[in-house]
Amino acid sequence: MQVHRLSPPCHDGAMFEVINWRGHLRVNKQAGAERVIARMGAALGEPFTLLSYQRYWKLPDLAEVRLTSPLGVQEPPEAVFRTMLAAQRIASPWSVTCHMVGDRLDFEGIAAKTVSAHFTVPGVEWLLFSVTAGEPTPWPEQEQPA
């Protein structure tokens, strides 16, 4: 999978380059995760870039993946609108939170089978998307038991 770099905006200001995703997939191996991710990309109409794959420490029958998909918009309302359209192609319903500090927008959404979300791609159990202006930042590593 390739990382797609988008051109910088024509005027000053932060750009919403990517949607960051974290998910739990019911797969046995990384090859299975890559197939599920490819189907998610087909549903989205945009490629996903796999950033990491590992067994989910809390539930070893699931894999935890971190992904990005292209967004490439300048304005916060357009970022929200396009992200929600993308998310709806993969799952529904979503629980969404938004934080606005000055001109900075951060928002995220969670869909989970455990709370009756329906995923359009088999094998997806839980998804979180996160969008913020500027460069994507990885989620902090969660502490795992020794």
Side-chain angles (χ1 to χ4, degrees):
M1 296 185 190
Q2 295 178 322
V3 174
H4 299 277
R5 275 299 199 193
L6 302 170
S7 303
C10 296
H11 52 81
D12 289 339
M15 183 170 183
F16 298 90
E17 289 192 43
V18 297
I19 303 171
N20 291 293
W21 303 85
R22 192 171 87 203
H24 296 158
L25 309 179
R26 189 165 300 281
V27 296
N28 293 322
K29 298 180 181 175
Q30 185 167 339
E34 290 171 358
R35 285 190 295 275
V36 170
I37 292 164
R39 288 193 295 269
M40 287 171 55
L44 182 62
E46 294 280 356
F48 278 90
T49 300
L50 178 62
L51 302 176
S52 69
Y53 167 91
Q54 64 184 21
R55 300 312 304 171
Y56 180 41
W57 66 273
K58 198 171 186 181
L59 296 170
D61 57 328
L62 299 178
E64 182 175 14
V65 294
R66 293 169 194 256
L67 318 158
T68 61
S69 63
L71 186 55
V73 298
Q74 180 71 37
E75 299 299 324
E78 185 71 9
V80 171
F81 178 70
R82 287 194 186 185
T83 300
M84 292 311 302
L85 284 179
Q88 286 300 117
R89 290 183 183 124
I90 299 170
S92 67
W94 288 88
S95 176
V96 178
T97 59
C98 181
H99 306 281
M100 193 89 173
V101 179
D103 290 339
R104 180 184 168 92
L105 170 73
D106 297 317
F107 70 102
E108 66 182 20
I110 297 175
K113 277 191 169 182
T114 57
V115 290
S116 301
H118 169 73
F119 291 92
T120 60
V121 176
V124 182
E125 298 285 317
W126 179 88
L127 267 181
L128 176 140
F129 69 75
S130 176
V131 176
T132 192
E135 287 298 312
T137 55
W139 282 279
E141 292 302 316
Q142 295 179 350
E143 290 186 26
Q144 299 181 9

